[in-house]
Amino acid sequence: MSSLGLGLAVATPLLLLGCGPYSEVGQKLDVALTFATAETFVAASGTEARILVLGRDAGGAPSGFALSALELPQAAGLSGRTYEGSWSESGQGLDLQVQLDYEMPDERGEDLLSRLGSTRTSVDRTLAFTTVRSGDTLTLTGDPAWAGTYLLLTDALGQLGSATAADVGCQFLVANLAVLTSQIRIIGFGGPGMLQYSTAFTYVGTLAGGVKVGLTGGLLSPKTTITYSAFSDFSGVTLAGNQITFANAGGNGHMEGTVAFTFAPTVNGIPGAEETGTILYGQPGGGGDAIQIGDGYVSGGEYVVTLWNGVSATVDPVAPPATSLAACLGLP
Amino acid sequence: MHGMLHGLLALVLLAAPAESPVDPAEAPEGTPPIARSSPASSLDGWRWGLALGWHGTTFLSHESNSYSFQSLALSYLASKGRSGPLLHLTALLPLQASENGQTVATSSVYQDRWGADVLLGRQWRWQAGQDFEAEAGPGLHGTLLVLPGRFGYRDFSALLLGVGGATVLRFRPGVHIAGAPLGVGTFAAVAFDFYDPLRSNDLRAGLTFRAGLYAGFGGR
């Protein structure tokens, strides 16, 4: 899970009315684009991971894109932004017509009840790039915020090892990218707007499955459950399982639950053997090294990550990643 | 219900100066005495009734988003004396909402929507002829809007607090019901809102209007 704890979302006596800034009038919770197939590219710049999903409909025509920037100064992740819209490519030109702007801000300095959490706004702008495709790389030239050399994610997944603790840490980083892209799209995530989900709601995955968000429990012991069901926001990574967050009125608490991840790597586009693993957020009751939530953010504990072959290691959520995402995936 | 409301008004009365026609014996020199039996005493006493009308509120957030809500309003209006407390309690049914010019029918995106409006203050009452009277005065104001989203839509709520004022114009047609004199008329209220504790004071400024038709009792 990202460092944005869910707990703060349920930490208010104004449960029935909500708080935080005004919400958008008549806003649909989920208007995500979905794609029949997609090419997913990944790049890294400093502590930022970038994911570009170029989606196509069942007939193979471009049907939409998602472009995400995820801040990873700590292993849990911290904030992020996703653009969605339509795209077109001709020759060496790639135009991304942005229609939706999702943002999960870093609000650690904000008062708990004043936080926005994840938001979505409608926009109308175009990101224009010059592209060079070479093998499994895509080089974008143009908007400096997004320019760079991207690698086909499914091919990059083939770079992941599974023998050492460092390998385990790398697999966590990649799986957590999918967790982060889902959280960016959950309206109100990380803010008091999570009170919305006292009526559970399911967001669809851009490529497959869905993620259900629900809030139960009383005013003083709220419990937020996020359930992934064959959820995939980009090629090659699928999530399934529960994240459960308990928090008090101060945004302090712990997490429980296990999310399983499945990687589907390719070699030059040819499917390889799937690899799986699990991320344990905490045992029931929150004992041991369960992920801790402080002031609404992940503040301690450990992720326990176990790979398909039994290799297991812990990941410190608030420390910088032991191995950078670029090194893990062999990114340029 | 009326007993409870009158109880609330009684609390307000404790804080309000009592009606004090000048006693001739205590009047400063040069002050014309007002007899307790003057015709103005017809302005004394309670007025209370129900009113049906429109409630509109428009406000700006600190992010410069503008919001407007139009609601059906059912109000209980009460006041006492030539100079005394006033209370307007209103139940709201939001009908239309808009943000930055984008308008939606609330029934299409919200369920079980409701609201409330309160104006509590002080009023002064005047008479015109035998059958007409008017009252007006300022007060503290609050509007609460609660709009839980239909499935798949986001909730909306607001609590707008500020100051305002109201006026009521009454006509007494000479009809009595169960011995009580009937009054009919119109009312209007306006408020300037500047604080929203529910929304982390995301409110920059807002204006609320309310107007409609009144029917009630009181007077001679």
Side-chain angles (χ1 to χ4, degrees), chain A residues 161-172 305 307 311-315 322-323:
Chain A
S162 56
T164 67
D167 293 337
V168 173
C170 282
Q171 296 220 11
F172 167 81
V305 184
L307 305 186
V311 175
S312 183
T314 58
V315 175
T323 306

Side-chain angles (χ1 to χ4, degrees), chain B:
Chain B
M1 178 69 178
H2 286 149
M4 186 174 71
L5 294 172
H6 288 162
L8 278 174
L9 281 174
L11 288 176
V12 174
L13 279 172
L14 290 176
E19 295 174 49
S20 54
V22 179
D23 187 321
E26 299 174 357
E29 191 174 344
T31 301
I34 301 175
R36 288 185 187 277
S37 61
S38 93
S41 62
S42 66
L43 293 172
D44 291 342
W46 287 100
R47 304 288 187 274
W48 64 268
L50 296 176
L52 186 64
W54 157 81
H55 179 286
T57 185
T58 183
F59 54 96
L60 274 176
S61 72
H62 283 295
E63 293 79 30
S64 295
N65 293 314
S66 68
Y67 302 85
S68 292
F69 291 85
Q70 315 300 330
S71 305
L72 184 65
L74 178 63
S75 303
Y76 172 85
L77 312 183
S79 62
K80 186 181 183 187
R82 283 168 287 176
S83 172
L86 77 86
L87 174 66
H88 289 196
L89 290 176
T90 304
L92 303 175
L93 175 63
L95 300 175
Q96 189 183 74
S98 66
E99 178 178 354
N100 300 328
Q102 299 292 317
T103 301
V104 298
T106 56
S107 59
S108 64
V109 294
Y110 298 108
Q111 60 182 347
D112 302 331
R113 61 207 187 278
W114 61 277
D117 185 286
V118 177
L119 181 69
L120 178 63
R122 186 175 181 80
Q123 57 80 35
W124 287 265
R125 200 176 280 166
W126 301 271
Q127 183 164 330
Q130 288 296 311
D131 300 325
F132 289 91
E133 70 177 27
E135 68 182 40
L140 301 175
H141 173 258
T143 292
L144 172 66
L145 295 169
V146 180
L147 296 100
R150 288 189 178 278
F151 185 75
Y153 286 90
R154 200 170 179 197
D155 301 340
F156 188 96
S157 60
L159 176 58
L160 313 172
L161 301 181
V163 295
T167 182
V168 179
L169 302 176
R170 293 189 191 86
F171 167 66
R172 286 190 291 268
V175 175
H176 288 67
I177 297 178
L182 175 69
V184 296
T186 63
F187 75 95
V190 62
F192 172 67
D193 302 310
F194 48 81
Y195 183 61
D196 187 339
L198 183 61
R199 286 297 177 183
S200 305
N201 200 26
D202 192 26
L203 175 65
R204 179 183 292 175
L207 285 174
T208 298
F209 302 93
R210 188 166 46 85
L213 300 175
Y214 163 92
F217 299 97
R220 291 195 304 187

Side-chain angles (χ1 to χ4, degrees), chain A residues 10-119:
Chain A
V10 292
T12 169
L14 298 172
L15 182 65
L16 296 176
L17 301 173
C19 50
Y22 297 113
S23 55
E24 189 174 317
V25 167
Q27 185 178 36
K28 282 188 175 180
L29 291 172
D30 189 16
V31 293
L33 303 177
T34 56
F35 315 136
T37 62
E39 285 181 300
T40 299
F41 297 91
V42 61
S45 175
T47 59
E48 182 179 274
R50 298 171 185 164
I51 299 172
L52 171 61
V53 184
L54 297 176
R56 296 180 183 276
D57 61 22
S63 61
F65 80 91
L67 178 60
S68 299
L70 311 170
E71 272 300 325
L72 308 173
Q74 54 187 27
L78 183 61
S79 58
R81 160 166 262 138
T82 294
Y83 291 142
E84 287 187 348
S86 57
W87 66 283
S88 59
E89 188 172 22
S90 59
Q92 290 190 321
L94 173 67
D95 286 344
L96 305 180
Q97 288 89 38
V98 184
Q99 290 146 8
L100 300 173
D101 179 1
Y102 297 88
E103 184 180 14
M104 179 173 68
D106 172 8
E107 297 182 289
R108 287 176 296 179
E110 296 289 328
D111 178 74
L112 198 65
L113 297 181
S114 298
R115 294 175 185 171
L116 288 168
S118 294
T119 60

